[in-house]
Amino acid sequence: MRILLGASELFPYSKTGGLSDMVGALAKWLAKAGHDVGVVTPLYRGIAKQYPALEPLDYRLDLPLGARTVSAQVHTLAAAPRLTIYFIDVPEFYDRSAPYQDNGVDYPDNAERFIYFAKCVAHLGRYLPWRPELVHVHDWQAALVPTFLLDYRLRAGGGNQPRTCFTIHNLAFQGTFPRAKYPLTNLPWDYFQPAGLEFYGSLNCLKAGILHADQITTVSARYAREITTEEFGCGLDGALRARAGSIIGILNGVDYEEWNTEENPHLKHPYSVRDLSGKAAEKAALQHEMGLPVRADVPLFGGVTRLTDQKGVDLVLSALEEMLATNLQFVLLGSGARPFEAAFRDLQKRFPQQVAVRIGFDQGLSHRIEAGCDFFLMPSRFEPCGLNQMYSLRYGTIPIVRRTGVLDDSVVDAADAADATEAAARANGIKFSDCSSAALVRAIRKALAIYEDAAVLRQFRVNGMTADFSWAGTAKRYAEVYRQILAR
Ligand code: ADP
Ligand code: GLC
């Protein structure tokens, strides 16, 4: 098949979270399976310098954006056999230090930036010489693409339009903008109504994908069910229920070529289930790197996360207030909401021997934290899929998660097993249910007990490291979905 993907972040070129990992891996595995794959993504600052093999296409895109025409240069990169990346180069929009925000605040022109991006994806979907059969777009930043293609089909009377697939990675981000931004779409006003792209008087980009894609997918079966309920629907559960027959959940895989402990440029001490000694060395190296006392006997907890409500970082903060009275260390890598950043910095100031915090984004450190910690904290309020808990399992770092979404499905707590024998054979993490710091504190106490017993600790690690969430199966399921769409 000939598939064009469109996403606002793409590993290894740009990343703020799991979306980047997922689209990067999907593209790679589809191409490995023999499909022709293109990915359209913005050319953010620094990419061109880092990838000198970029080549400009010999034509520019001149597309309307409201009353103006904005011109984009497209650079291509042959990333792998059958895999081409199309970078959209509009310095005015994408030559910025981060994809969506600066200092914790969204850029004021995100409507312009991503409405334009969606137009470029739709345009390339129509006109690339290799004629993509299907355009698969991700999250709100690309969600207008199905509407642009539909509108073109209706107005231009058909033709060989590519079919569309839309994946929701996180319903909490919808791309809502004031009505005054709607003309930037250059769509007729007919679409701006409650049964269309309007959401309580505003433009809602995510709704466009929900209404007009041929097929909707989400990143797990569980999230596919959750988003049609009022509790998790973020106001769009009605629109989603209306399309319930066209929503399918496919669990993300883990790119074990990137996320592994045996051949990893970010780790100095390779290790595996057969020989875990490198993990102890990674722990010591991490304690040293983070400026903490290098102590093998002290359990090391960690987190790598966007600092938002979704991730339950407030629970971590208050649980630590209580638990730092015991003998444990905590390291955090994250960025996001300013008050959370300040609170973690303050914690580090008050407990310099126990807490080390890095505010920012650091791919290498994210691997070293996954490898060097004993326990990984992920007490999310909701989690569409969550990749970090799966990375932790593979790195032999015991995840402590809340029983929500895929966190519940992908981690096995001893209490999930029928009996003690099964628990010993399968348990690989610690789960708690209540969304409260008291419940997290109880989970941390369980972790401390596990840490005291070397044999149990080892068994948890081995069980986690042998769990398998590989991408091959995930890519096969997407290919099946594409085939079904194309057969309709
Ligand atoms: P989400 O996509 O909701 O943020 P996931 O668990 O799916 O959650 O994916 C998070 C990804 O982003 C992981 O690859 C994680 O390592 C990475 N990540 C999050 N914050 C940072 C950071 N500050 N520095 C480096 N990597 C980060
Ligand atoms: C979103 C979700 C996360 C998921 C990721 C990749 O960012 O919050 O749960 O793993 O997308 O699909």
Side-chain angles (χ1 to χ4, degrees):
M1 287 178 281
R2 300 184 305 275
I3 315 290
L4 186 67
L5 308 181
S8 56
E9 49 187 277
L10 176 66
F11 187 81
Y13 316 101
S14 55
K15 172 164 169 178
T16 72
L19 168 66
S20 161
D21 288 0
M22 187 280 187
V23 182
L26 174 65
K28 180 163 131 182
W29 258 268
L30 287 172
K32 278 188 193 210
H35 304 290
D36 293 316
V37 185
V39 191
V40 189
T41 196
L43 186 78
Y44 298 114
R45 181 173 301 166
I47 297 176
K49 212 166 151 199
Q50 216 184 329
Y51 296 90
L54 286 188
E55 274 185 45
L57 280 186
D58 57 4
Y59 58 89
R60 300 182 69 89
L61 307 183
D62 292 302
L63 302 176
L65 186 67
R68 326 160 45 191
T69 297
V70 174
S71 180
Q73 176 77 63
V74 182
H75 302 266
T76 64
L77 182 69
R82 289 180 296 276
L83 174 58
T84 306
I85 316 298
Y86 297 86
F87 290 99
I88 305 297
D89 180 11
V90 182
E92 170 196 354
F93 288 160
Y94 311 123
D95 184 17
R96 311 233 175 136
S97 52
Y100 315 125
Q101 40 173 249
D102 195 19
N103 278 323
V105 182
D106 283 354
Y107 295 123
D109 58 350
N110 276 350
E112 285 79 357
R113 299 172 73 229
F114 292 107
I115 290 172
Y116 187 76
F117 172 64
K119 287 185 173 185
C120 293
V121 178
H123 186 90
L124 291 173
R126 282 204 294 265
Y127 296 115
L128 278 174
W130 53 275
R131 304 199 70 91
E133 297 165 274
L134 188 135
V135 179
H136 179 181
V137 292
H138 299 262
D139 274 355
W140 75 264
Q141 295 89 344
L144 281 161
V145 172
T147 309
F148 291 142
L149 290 173
L150 171 79
D151 183 62
Y152 189 80
R153 180 152 63 220
L154 296 177
R155 279 199 286 175
N160 286 327
Q161 294 282 335
R163 311 305 300 268
T164 55
C165 180
F166 171 52
T167 296
I168 301 172
H169 294 257
N170 194 336
L171 200 60
F173 300 101
Q174 301 185 357
T176 47
F177 300 104
R179 174 194 164 95
K181 299 285 187 188
Y182 182 77
L184 294 170
T185 64
N186 300 87
L187 288 166
W189 279 98
D190 317 7
Y191 293 101
F192 195 79
Q193 40 138 326
L197 279 47
E198 184 193 343
F199 186 71
Y200 299 102
S202 295
L203 164 64
N204 184 312
C205 295
L206 197 88
K207 231 179 137 188
I210 293 174
L211 293 172
H212 297 140
D214 293 315
Q215 174 75 46
I216 302 165
T217 76
T218 69
V219 288
S220 65
R222 177 123 168 195
Y223 197 55
R225 290 194 298 278
E226 285 176 345
I227 56 175
T228 57
T229 65
E230 205 181 321
E231 188 188 352
F232 291 99
C234 300
L236 289 177
D237 44 298
L240 285 159
R241 277 195 298 278
R243 291 220 61 197
S246 303
I247 305 177
I248 173 173
I250 301 177
L251 187 68
N252 287 337
V254 172
D255 186 347
Y256 289 124
E257 288 179 5
E258 292 295 330
W259 293 92
N260 76 78
T261 57
E262 289 174 83
E263 272 176 50
N264 186 327
H266 304 298
L267 305 183
K268 284 204 199 77
H269 312 280
Y271 61 95
S272 68
V273 194
R274 291 175 302 286
D275 180 4
L276 278 165
S277 56
K279 184 163 174 67
E282 282 297 329
K283 175 173 173 177
L286 179 65
Q287 287 169 321
H288 178 73
E289 176 176 2
M290 300 295 282
L292 290 172
V294 178
R295 298 259 314 259
D297 58 318
V298 178
L300 179 57
F301 293 72
V304 179
T305 186
R306 294 183 290 113
L307 297 175
T308 62
D309 286 333
Q310 173 192 345
K311 301 295 180 182
V313 283
D314 51 323
L315 304 183
V316 173
L317 280 163
S318 40
L320 283 175
E321 287 290 346
E322 186 172 340
M323 291 310 295
L324 283 167
T326 59
N327 194 18
L328 64 79
Q329 294 177 341
F330 173 73
V331 295
L332 175 92
L333 168 64
S335 65
R338 285 299 169 270
F340 286 140
E341 294 184 357
F344 278 110
R345 281 202 178 102
D346 175 61
L347 202 65
Q348 164 173 266
K349 218 181 259 163
R350 289 191 290 129
F351 298 92
Q353 297 297 308
Q354 287 177 278
V355 175
V357 172
R358 292 283 178 282
I359 300 299
F361 195 91
D362 185 336
Q363 182 72 11
L365 184 56
S366 73
H367 283 260
R368 292 193 291 280
I369 289 180
E370 287 284 9
C373 286
D374 298 302
F375 300 96
F376 192 92
L377 297 180
M378 203 163 169
S380 306
R381 294 207 149 68
F382 68 93
E383 201 59 76
C385 176
L387 293 168
N388 267 328
Q389 81 281 12
M390 303 195 221
Y391 299 158
S392 302
L393 290 172
R394 180 49 58 112
Y395 282 51
T397 299
I398 299 172
I400 299 180
V401 304
R402 205 168 85 76
R403 281 188 187 275
T404 181
V406 180
L407 294 181
D408 196 8
D409 297 342
S410 55
V411 174
V412 184
D413 185 284
D416 296 335
D419 53 42
T421 319
E422 194 199 330
R426 292 187 52 230
N428 57 24
I430 300 168
K431 298 193 212 170
F432 64 98
S433 300
D434 276 6
C435 194
S436 69
S437 60
L440 178 55
V441 163
R442 282 193 294 275
I444 293 175
R445 288 195 199 285
K446 279 189 198 165
L448 297 178
I450 291 173
Y451 194 76
E452 288 302 307
D453 187 326
V456 175
L457 179 66
R458 193 192 144 77
Q459 191 59 48
F460 265 77
R461 285 184 173 154
V462 168
N463 292 347
M465 292 174 84
T466 47
D468 186 12
F469 299 97
S470 55
W471 249 98
T474 306
K476 212 181 260 172
R477 294 207 56 204
Y478 276 102
E480 271 162 32
V481 168
Y482 299 158
R483 241 173 244 120
Q484 284 162 13
I485 302 172
L486 294 175
R488 276 180 218 153

